[in-house]
Amino acid sequence: MSNKSISKFARREFLKISTAASAIGAMGASGLASRAFAASGTVNFMAWSAAVDLVKSHVAEFEKSTGINVNYANAPWSNYRDNIVTKFVGGAPLDMMWVSDAWLPEFAEAGWIKPINSFDNLMKYNDEAEKFCTDSMTYKGQQYGLTYYTDFMGFMYDESQLKKAGISTPPSTWDEVTEQCLKIKAAGISDYPLMLALANESWLMNFIAAMVYSNNGRFTDEKGNSAMQSPTEGAVKALQWVVDAVNVHKIVSPACVETGELTGLKAFQSGNHVFALEPKYRMRPMNDPKQSKIAGQVKQALMPKGNGGDHNTVGWMRFHGMSAGAAANPEQAELTAKLIEWFGGRANGEYKFQKYLFTDVGAGFGVKPLFDDQDVKDAYNAYADVDMIKAQQGLALKSDVVTPWYGEWQETNASAWQTAILGRSTAQEAMDKSGTRWNDLKKEFS
Amino acid sequence: MSDQSKLTIGYRLLRRFNYETRSAALFILPVMSVLALVTVFPIFYSLYTSFFNLKLTRPHRVPFVWLDNYIKVLSDELFWESVQRTVSFTLMSVSAIAVIALLIALLLNETFRGRRVISTIVLIPWAIPTVANGLLWKWIYDSGYGALNGVLLQLGLIDKYTVWLGDADRTLPLIANAFVWKEVPLAAILILVTMKSIPADLYRAARVDGANAFQRFVHITLPSLKPGFMLVMIYETMMAIRHFDLFFLLTEGGPGEASHVVAWQIYVETFRNLSFGTGSAMSYILAIVTFALAYFIIKMLGRRV
């Protein structure tokens, strides 16, 4: 046989073999895929990558207890929303997923998630859940899940620094915050006594909302129209306070617009500030000697109130939701409801997951009976005052801007509010811009 | 057409391409298919998408809107503000890159002890991954613990830590600085290669004619560098206009709208607002402008080369 014919033979054979291999590969892959879809007794569960080991062990217990398989997958919080939206749109197998209350209207309107009202085994837990949590999972009268975790924005202070400045009690109004900060600054204890992390990230809304609600303000009225630009609604007053704090009193660093929540936390833990707005669950690392220079000194006070305001703050929560795909198939919906109950309700008679989530990583829970659990009490009191937490949680309000256009609106806010904080526009102009954008989006989505 | 004539056409096609050509085409086919799938198809699909009001959060309502997305983008004040910032960023970056790269190329074109070591050091920024570069500068510029504040304080140039990226007047120049640092090595190499290709006879003849070093630089070096400069200008202009990474890593478009450039706006519109229709329209506008600019630069510089 000549070299040329060997070459021809080899090429032909190669083509035949590679074509056959590709075909077999494709068939195999599609076969595997169809098995994944067709498998009975399997629930596809997607979460963000928090408490991964805890979730895995709780899933393992569920599988052992029920014989139902769970395909657990996770993605980082930073791109979780994009990730899960892509899955919904692409029709990827997905039954139960963690959902932020901020996305509920958007997901519900798109028909990606479905209500759980028809599942009595899930709805019975509402009696033991914080009302604020149930409200946050409810959209247009339908409930979409069970609580995964809840938290609120807290006002923290470094007790020893406060005493050093000769101040015996923490501030109870925003005017007192200004006064105390100026005193602390004058004493040379801190250049910028109050830490605010106002970088363009999802936390920004919660920081500002806490201040707005404590000024008795709202972003929207009962009909859902923008009320934030009204000088009497508290939002302008709250933003004006921040603008003055940065530009007039200089008690908040101008770097606040580039400070993310985590960076701000580290700065506070380093002892650079005396007061901070931080999510309540950060109390634990703040008082952990391994993570904080001011461990043992951090206390929580009720959110200071504005003129005519109260000690309200903003609360938020995450929940276990059911996909439209799962709800469309009664058998799959039953399996999914069991997994939702296992995580968000009682597992073998206990609120195991929420309890472990709290004791392991300090994440707040949304079910009242856990406040009576001795382990929980002991864990809380090791680094915080459980009574203060209960009191502030009782004053937490559901965010009034959670709508299908919330994400888009937030993009405008970040720019508008930061521009005001930098002194390049007034607080009124910033809120006017936010309000106009809100109404435009509402119109666009209606 | 009859079966007979179809067969004849097929036979003619087979005859036209010999066995080797047909085999080669067959082997290339899988790669071409993959390329078509991952490159060509998305390009045309995004063009198609730009004519629809496609918003992932409203998947059941995707109307065909003709050129409305383009009109909406072009009549948006924020878009034109971001165009202005993109132009400022590009002018700052490209001019700085051209000047610094020329100086470095002139230095490396000389023969001196340690030239190789310096050449290697100059290349380091280019070798650093873009994300690492962004994080590096984020640390340098940080107002609380950044190296820039530390150095300036130790040198006595500032008396307390200064806000860098959080100051809207400084944001764009600071990002441009980080971009220049990353891009200069490649530009310097391109100019150096052009410089090396200048015939030595020209310099010898100029010396005989009594030209001094400055005259030799102005009348021989600079005109001969035009091809290299053209390449640098086109490449760096396109890179600067489309640049996204540093804006994402350093400021996320902020503070306020201080670093809201076109590439950032495309990202926000597409991946945060999930508006793929307007996002695609913006991308096409940016692509057309980039191509037009590259064509203009080639025309301007090319005719004098």
Side-chain angles (χ1 to χ4, degrees):
Chain A
M1 199 180 278
S2 71
N3 279 344
K4 195 175 176 183
S5 61
I6 289 171
S7 153
K8 276 183 186 173
F9 172 78
R11 268 179 289 195
R12 280 178 185 157
E13 286 306 300
F14 173 76
L15 282 172
K16 277 181 199 166
I17 291 165
S18 54
T19 308
S22 305
I24 291 165
M27 284 162 70
S30 64
L32 282 174
S34 58
R35 269 207 301 280
F37 277 103
S40 60
T42 299
V43 179
N44 296 291
F45 167 35
M46 178 83 186
W48 47 85
S49 41
V52 173
D53 291 338
L54 179 61
V55 174
K56 279 182 180 171
S57 81
H58 204 58
V59 161
E61 274 186 58
F62 175 78
E63 289 179 323
K64 198 175 163 189
S65 169
T66 63
I68 301 168
N69 296 320
V70 177
N71 286 331
Y72 164 61
N74 64 64
W77 166 256
S78 56
N79 62 7
Y80 180 81
R81 177 175 163 264
D82 301 346
N83 196 308
I84 204 161
V85 166
T86 313
K87 279 180 187 288
F88 285 136
V89 174
L94 188 59
D95 302 308
M96 174 177 129
M97 75 297 301
W98 286 357
V99 183
S100 165
D101 54 350
W103 311 325
L104 170 59
E106 180 186 334
F107 287 11
E109 288 289 345
W112 293 327
I113 56 175
K114 289 291 173 187
I116 56 156
N117 295 58
S118 58
F119 296 92
D120 294 339
N121 60 324
L122 300 182
M123 296 300 282
K124 70 183 180 192
Y125 291 106
N126 284 352
D127 295 340
E128 294 179 339
E130 296 277 8
K131 184 179 178 297
F132 145 73
C133 291
T134 309
D135 289 348
S136 298
M137 291 182 291
T138 303
Y139 180 67
K140 291 186 176 174
Q142 300 286 312
Q143 188 173 325
Y144 283 80
L146 288 188
T147 313
Y148 147 58
Y149 114 97
T150 184
D151 213 335
F152 58 82
M153 193 57 73
F155 185 81
M156 318 300 184
Y157 65 97
D158 180 337
E159 192 178 37
S160 68
Q161 296 275 56
L162 209 61
K163 281 182 181 165
K164 205 171 151 188
I167 301 165
S168 54
T169 50
S172 80
T173 66
W174 286 108
D175 287 343
E176 282 179 26
V177 174
T178 307
E179 283 167 25
Q180 293 193 4
C181 283
L182 288 171
K183 197 172 177 184
I184 291 162
K185 198 175 161 81
I189 294 168
S190 170
D191 284 342
Y192 300 111
L194 174 61
M195 196 289 294
L196 291 178
L198 303 175
N200 181 5
E201 56 178 23
S202 55
W203 284 111
L204 175 63
M205 184 66 218
N206 290 324
F207 287 121
I208 298 291
M211 301 184 77
V212 171
Y213 296 168
S214 64
N215 272 283
N216 199 25
R218 299 301 282 165
F219 289 99
T220 59
D221 61 20
E222 299 77 27
K223 291 178 180 172
N225 292 316
S226 167
M228 64 200 84
Q229 66 272 43
S230 164
T232 57
E233 281 298 322
V236 177
K237 277 195 279 182
L239 186 59
Q240 186 62 54
W241 190 92
V242 179
V243 171
D244 290 345
V246 173
N247 298 290
V248 180
H249 307 302
K250 301 187 190 305
I251 53 176
V252 172
S253 169
C256 63
V257 292
E258 57 164 312
T259 305
E261 189 273 331
L262 190 59
T263 312
L265 172 72
K266 299 284 178 200
F268 187 65
Q269 285 175 325
S270 304
N272 293 342
H273 308 278
V274 180
F275 304 113
L277 280 195
E278 277 291 337
K280 180 262 296 166
Y281 81 97
R282 294 297 198 188
M283 278 289 278
R284 197 161 101 153
M286 281 176 185
N287 279 322
D288 179 356
K290 288 178 189 164
Q291 302 181 56
S292 172
K293 279 188 186 172
I294 54 170
Q297 299 166 201
V298 182
K299 307 281 181 208
Q300 187 192 339
L302 288 176
M303 187 63 66
K305 57 184 178 183
N307 293 332
D310 205 342
H311 295 291
N312 294 124
T313 187
V314 66
W316 58 87
M317 55 90 63
R318 315 283 182 250
F319 62 90
H320 310 279
M322 183 186 290
S323 74
N329 177 343
E331 285 176 18
Q332 194 63 22
E334 281 298 330
L335 298 180
T336 307
K338 279 184 184 168
L339 187 61
I340 290 177
E341 183 178 9
W342 186 262
F343 272 84
R346 290 179 186 270
N348 293 333
E350 280 184 84
Y351 285 108
K352 258 188 180 175
F353 184 68
Q354 294 198 47
K355 179 178 172 179
Y356 290 154
L357 203 60
F358 168 71
T359 51
D360 277 18
V361 297
F365 46 82
V367 285
K368 288 178 270 189
L370 278 183
F371 272 118
D372 301 325
D373 185 301
Q374 196 54 47
D375 293 339
V376 170
K377 280 183 181 174
D378 293 345
Y380 253 144
N381 285 326
Y383 61 86
D385 175 0
V386 72
D387 293 331
M388 173 60 71
I389 287 168
K390 272 175 81 172
Q392 185 67 85
Q393 187 157 310
L395 291 165
L397 299 176
K398 174 190 171 180
S399 173
D400 60 335
V401 291
V402 174
T403 51
W405 55 90
Y406 171 68
E408 234 171 296
W409 176 68
Q410 212 177 0
E411 285 301 327
T412 303
N413 289 335
S415 301
W417 296 349
Q418 284 189 340
T419 304
I421 292 164
L422 289 169
R424 293 177 166 242
S425 72
T426 64
Q428 184 66 57
E429 284 166 350
M431 282 299 171
D432 282 346
K433 196 171 180 180
S434 291
T436 306
R437 180 69 174 147
W438 177 274
N439 288 335
D440 287 348
L441 285 166
K442 186 171 182 272
K443 200 173 159 189
E444 192 184 318
F445 274 75
S446 60
Chain B
M1 197 183 283
S2 70
D3 287 352
Q4 183 61 39
S5 50
K6 275 183 193 166
L7 279 173
T8 313
I9 291 168
Y11 180 71
R12 277 185 192 155
L13 277 172
L14 275 175
R15 286 286 304 271
R16 188 167 173 185
F17 300 105
N18 63 24
Y19 178 80
E20 294 294 330
T21 312
R22 290 201 305 270
S23 301
L26 208 57
F27 276 112
I28 294 169
L29 192 63
V31 176
M32 294 304 287
S33 310
V34 171
L35 276 178
L37 194 70
V38 301
T39 308
V40 182
F41 173 71
I43 288 172
F44 286 102
Y45 187 70
S46 60
L47 179 65
Y48 172 76
T49 305
S50 72
F51 299 120
F52 288 86
N53 188 0
L54 172 59
K55 210 161 201 168
L56 283 196
T57 47
R58 284 181 305 175
H60 309 302
R61 212 170 63 194
V62 188
F64 179 72
V65 292
W66 290 100
L67 293 171
D68 277 7
N69 286 332
Y70 290 89
I71 294 164
K72 188 179 162 192
V73 169
L74 292 172
S75 55
D76 182 3
E77 197 184 324
L78 189 62
F79 176 75
W80 289 107
E81 285 171 9
S82 64
V83 167
Q84 278 178 15
R85 283 185 208 101
T86 308
V87 171
S88 302
F89 175 76
T90 305
L91 286 176
M92 268 189 274
S93 309
V94 177
S95 50
I97 289 169
V99 172
I100 298 170
L102 174 65
L103 295 175
I104 291 173
L106 284 169
L107 177 74
L108 296 179
N109 197 36
E110 297 298 316
T111 310
F112 60 91
R113 199 181 172 88
R115 188 168 63 95
R116 284 175 193 279
V117 177
I118 291 179
S119 304
T120 311
I121 291 170
V122 164
L123 280 175
I124 289 175
W126 190 43
I128 292 178
T130 314
V131 173
N133 179 46
L135 294 174
L136 180 90
W137 284 100
K138 197 175 172 73
W139 276 76
I140 291 172
Y141 291 148
D142 190 278
S143 56
Y145 49 77
L148 182 60
N149 270 333
V151 169
L152 293 177
L153 196 69
Q154 281 177 14
L155 291 174
L157 296 171
I158 53 173
D159 55 359
K160 63 176 185 178
Y161 274 23
T162 302
V163 176
W164 297 107
L165 290 170
D167 182 337
D169 292 329
R170 292 171 175 159
T171 311
L172 222 48
L174 289 172
I175 299 174
N177 179 56
F179 179 73
V180 169
W181 189 79
K182 169 89 175 133
E183 292 295 318
V184 152
L186 177 66
I189 297 288
L190 290 172
I191 293 173
L192 182 63
V193 169
T194 317
M195 216 175 260
K196 292 277 184 201
S197 67
I198 303 172
D201 292 353
L202 289 177
Y203 290 104
R204 277 199 288 272
R207 275 199 195 91
V208 170
D209 290 343
N212 61 26
F214 180 73
Q215 286 168 325
R216 290 197 299 274
F217 174 71
V218 171
H219 296 290
I220 300 173
T221 311
L222 272 187
S224 308
L225 287 180
K226 276 182 183 168
F229 259 119
M230 188 173 76
L231 197 60
V232 167
M233 295 291 278
I234 293 169
Y235 176 75
E236 296 301 346
T237 303
M238 289 172 83
M239 291 295 284
I241 287 175
R242 297 179 303 117
H243 195 69
F244 167 75
D245 314 41
L246 286 169
F247 292 96
F248 179 73
L249 290 161
L250 293 180
T251 59
E252 296 217 13
E257 290 161 359
S259 58
H260 228 110
V261 289
V262 176
W264 174 256
Q265 209 181 339
I266 291 172
Y267 166 75
V268 168
E269 192 63 15
T270 312
F271 297 106
R272 288 198 174 171
N273 296 344
L274 301 173
S275 301
F276 280 70
T278 37
S280 299
M282 273 187 206
S283 303
Y284 266 89
I285 291 169
L286 184 64
I288 291 165
V289 169
T290 311
F291 281 128
L293 213 59
Y295 180 76
F296 176 73
I297 294 170
I298 291 170
K299 277 281 191 192
M300 286 294 290
L301 288 173
R303 68 184 172 201
R304 292 183 203 153
V305 175

